[in-house]
Amino acid sequence: MTRKNPEQLRSHRWFGESDMRGFGHHSRIGQMGYSRADYAGKPIIAIINTWSDINSCHMHFRERAEEVKRGVLQAGGFPLEMPALALAEVFQKPTTMLYRNLLAMETEELLRSYPVDGCVLMGGCDKTTPALLMGAISMNLPAIFLPAGPMLRGHWREKRAGNITEAQWREIEEGIARSPGHCMTMGTASTMTSATEAMGFTLPGAASIPAADSRHGRMAAETGRRIVDMVWEDQKPRDLLTAASIDNAVTTVLALGGSTNAVVHMVAVARRAGIPLTAERFDQLSQRTPLIANIRPAGKFLMEDFFYAGGLRALLAQISDLLSLNERTVNGRTVGDNIAGAEVFNSEVILPREKALVKSGSLAVLRGNLAPDGAVIKPAAAEARLWKHVGPAIVFADYNDMAARIDDPELPVTKDSVIVLKNAGPQGAPGMPEWGQLPIPKKLLAQGVRDMVRISDARMSGTSYGACVLHVAPESFVGGPLAFVQDGDLIELDVGARKLELKISDAELARRRAAWKSPAPKFARGFGALYQRHITQANQGCDFDFLEGTAPTPEPEIH
């Protein structure tokens, strides 16, 4: 493999000249206490750190950044920590999804505008992973991902039934999230970090290590060491990303029973590399992929158990015949090399394929006159009786309307009704929040109803379940057919036929479309105005239209 020499480093453009421009760069970095011996002729590594006081998933990242720096220095590089937008899933409203592309833009422009040769991407909380990847792929400098790792399992004294007191409720609050790290279920965070490892962007096994485990710190240092070699080898994101490596990630998501949010995020990630991934590809691959991770919400164990059972390497070894094993990864080896010899230590957590939770078809993409550009559902998360269903619509104009009326005793809803939520998509909410697990009315809960068909243009948390049809595209806010649904309309869901139909005539649908009036924009200025002008629909990954693809962007002039 041909290695760069120091004069070929990107940072040499800043520090390799002896003119007044170079004088300014050297003097200012000297102002920070560094001599030329610290950085001259060495790869300069940006550590993109999404730590903040408001992001509990990343509260250990200040320590991890120091461990990354240690690894960079050991390998002969020069580390520069750069803070980036912290997308704190629980706290940021209306949803972190509104700001995913902003973090992607920030990542890309940090890497472009500063004298860096490669980067370590520190993320894990749901949207940070795709955002960091999207920015790094677009900039296309050597990049390696450091996953935050899942938190330890929650703990509370054993109590299984009956009402609880306020004090007991507080005890649960204090015990459910008891360490650094992202959610300990197979929610969006673990789904996306695992997909990232399967694509080849992390060191082998990195995504499964709990955040509080000492091995996580050792992995951080090794990540720092490896990125230095990646710079000398000029190993860039688009060198790793192929249609086959994307398929590996999608197959991994399906075998894990991962979040439906992966559909939106993976489409966006792939398109940044010029790979035209579609939701239908998830459906195609689901037909051959068994769900073998017995992890909540699909199963009964947690990510800590998954790690002890062998982690992602062991799961990938179980489905190796479904993967493209020759795809390259950040450690310079292939996927096949990285999973060779991996063992399953607990076959109740990582199941044999003959005992899969779902043999195939764990995710389905629906189409029809209600979702011309598609919608998604996880059939295994729904009661089987609802896989083929026709029922009358109960329609809510937006989330506030639903919150106000869903538990009204006079609401004309039955167990056969189809609950419809409008204006919860990329523009309508805005930001396509995780509102898709629509609540079941209290009066039906009292009757023992635990699942109903629910349809929206929203997303759903990866920790949720139910017969929830999500990501309906086009969304209602921009005039998608969901906007035209009225109370009492019959809606047909047929998972086997991949169909979602509004049972009215074409003429009636056209009449309603002609009468529909476009709602006023939600933003008159600021980032929101930029967002609403350029956001794409769910089937296109909800990226900004001007950020997709691989059109070249010039390097900055240095004067």
Side-chain angles (χ1 to χ4, degrees):
M1 179 181 293
T2 303
R3 291 172 66 89
K4 285 183 175 180
N5 60 53
E7 289 72 28
Q8 292 173 312
L9 293 172
R10 183 174 179 269
S11 58
H12 184 77
R13 297 181 61 217
W14 276 261
F15 297 113
E17 300 295 333
S18 298
D19 54 12
M20 284 302 297
R21 177 189 68 191
F23 173 84
H25 297 152
H26 288 296
S27 65
R28 290 302 184 180
I29 202 165
Q31 182 183 7
M32 294 185 282
Y34 300 114
S35 68
R36 290 198 183 202
D38 290 315
Y39 61 87
K42 298 179 180 181
I44 296 179
I45 306 301
I47 302 170
I48 307 297
N49 191 351
T50 52
W51 174 90
S52 88
D53 274 332
I54 196 64
N55 193 327
S56 57
C57 301
H58 298 172
M59 63 183 180
H60 57 313
F61 269 5
R62 285 197 289 188
E63 181 181 353
R64 293 294 177 270
E66 294 305 312
E67 289 156 341
V68 173
K69 290 176 187 177
R70 184 178 77 228
V72 171
L73 291 168
Q74 288 171 345
F78 180 64
L80 292 174
E81 185 177 352
M82 295 183 177
L85 181 65
L87 303 179
E89 191 64 30
V90 175
F91 298 105
Q92 194 163 29
K93 305 299 180 183
T95 169
T96 53
M97 188 64 181
L98 184 65
Y99 300 102
R100 184 198 68 182
N101 298 341
L102 183 58
L103 175 55
M105 291 176 69
E106 182 183 20
T107 301
E108 180 179 352
E109 299 308 324
L110 279 173
L111 298 177
R112 175 172 292 111
S113 59
Y114 283 108
V116 298
D117 302 298
C119 63
V120 175
L121 308 169
M122 298 181 63
C125 190
D126 295 13
K127 315 307 179 296
T128 57
T129 299
L132 292 167
L133 290 176
M134 290 159 69
I137 290 165
S138 291
M139 184 55 202
N140 206 34
L141 291 181
I144 187 169
F145 189 83
L146 173 65
M151 68 176 83
L152 300 178
R153 66 170 69 87
H155 180 75
W156 188 62
R157 59 195 172 93
E158 296 297 314
K159 185 177 177 69
R160 291 290 181 263
N163 295 323
I164 61 175
T165 67
E166 177 67 20
Q168 289 169 331
W169 180 257
R170 293 284 181 89
E171 287 180 17
I172 296 173
E173 284 183 345
E174 292 165 1
I176 194 169
R178 60 190 183 93
S179 81
H182 55 67
C183 293
M184 78 289 272
T185 63
M186 190 48 67
T188 304
S190 287
T191 298
M192 289 308 301
T193 56
S194 297
T196 301
E197 180 173 333
M199 278 189 291
F201 272 89
T202 78
L203 295 176
S208 309
I209 306 172
D213 194 294
S214 64
R215 285 164 283 195
H216 197 271
R218 297 201 293 272
M219 178 270 293
E222 179 58 31
T223 297
R225 287 190 287 271
R226 177 56 195 157
I227 186 59
V228 175
D229 281 339
M230 288 177 66
V231 170
W232 290 126
E233 296 163 6
D234 200 26
Q235 188 181 83
K236 301 184 292 294
R238 287 184 229 160
D239 299 330
L240 302 177
L241 278 177
T242 65
S245 67
I246 293 292
D247 276 358
N248 283 347
V250 172
T251 300
T252 300
V253 168
L254 296 166
L256 289 167
S259 168
T260 51
N261 290 323
V263 179
V264 175
H265 296 318
M266 286 301 305
V267 167
V269 167
R271 291 186 176 203
R272 288 296 185 103
I275 299 168
L277 180 65
T278 64
E280 278 75 14
R281 187 59 177 159
F282 278 80
D283 198 332
Q284 292 165 6
L285 293 174
S286 78
Q287 300 309 308
R288 70 175 196 184
T289 306
L291 197 173
I292 60 171
N294 190 9
I295 306 172
R296 294 178 186 175
K300 64 180 184 178
F301 292 99
L302 296 170
M303 286 300 296
E304 190 178 347
D305 306 303
F306 182 62
F307 175 62
Y308 301 145
L312 189 64
R313 289 181 62 246
L315 180 135
L316 295 181
Q318 292 288 93
I319 58 166
S320 61
D321 59 307
L322 304 179
L323 302 173
S324 178
L325 299 178
N326 292 323
E327 298 306 304
R328 293 173 58 204
T329 71
V330 290
N331 70 347
R333 302 182 180 91
T334 66
V335 171
D337 293 334
N338 289 340
I339 65 175
E343 297 181 57
V344 174
F345 301 113
N346 187 337
S347 59
E348 291 184 14
V349 179
I350 301 174
L351 301 169
R353 286 165 68 163
E354 62 271 16
K355 294 184 178 179
L357 293 178
V358 181
K359 299 296 184 185
S360 64
S362 60
L363 185 143
V365 176
L366 311 170
R367 286 188 181 268
N369 67 354
L370 192 52
D373 293 334
V376 301
I377 187 172
K378 291 175 77 171
E383 292 184 5
R385 65 181 178 84
L386 298 173
W387 293 351
K388 190 176 177 67
H389 181 79
V390 178
I394 298 290
V395 180
F396 297 103
D398 55 32
Y399 191 91
N400 291 330
D401 178 35
M402 181 193 69
R405 296 194 294 123
I406 190 71
D407 291 326
D408 185 344
E410 301 303 314
L411 188 72
V413 63
T414 73
K415 65 180 179 60
D416 296 320
S417 298
V418 176
I419 298 177
V420 174
L421 175 65
K422 301 179 181 181
N423 294 309
Q427 292 203 38
M432 200 181 176
E434 293 179 341
W435 296 344
Q437 191 188 25
L438 308 179
I440 294 173
K442 281 184 178 179
K443 68 179 183 181
L444 296 184
L445 288 172
Q447 298 169 20
V449 176
R450 291 296 179 266
D451 201 4
M452 299 174 65
V453 175
R454 290 158 278 178
I455 301 173
S456 73
D457 41 18
R459 296 177 300 111
M460 183 171 79
S461 169
T463 62
S464 300
Y465 57 91
C468 300
V469 177
L470 310 160
H471 308 185
V472 172
E475 65 172 306
S476 55
F477 191 86
V478 300
L482 193 67
F484 315 136
V485 181
Q486 299 177 1
D487 281 334
D489 288 344
L490 291 179
I491 294 177
E492 179 186 8
L493 168 66
D494 188 335
V495 173
R498 300 299 194 260
K499 183 166 70 172
L500 185 66
E501 286 282 329
L502 179 62
K503 307 297 282 185
I504 63 175
S505 67
D506 292 344
E508 175 62 14
L509 186 61
R511 185 192 69 78
R512 294 183 188 182
R513 179 177 282 109
W516 179 78
K517 289 182 171 50
S518 177
K522 291 185 175 287
F523 300 99
R525 60 165 300 281
F527 174 74
L530 173 73
Y531 174 95
Q532 69 190 7
R533 281 197 298 269
H534 295 287
I535 194 69
T536 62
Q537 289 293 293
N539 62 300
Q540 299 167 307
C542 295
D543 201 355
F544 289 156
D545 53 17
F546 61 86
L547 293 177
E548 294 179 326
T550 58
T553 302
E555 284 279 359
E557 293 189 24
I558 302 175
H559 300 300

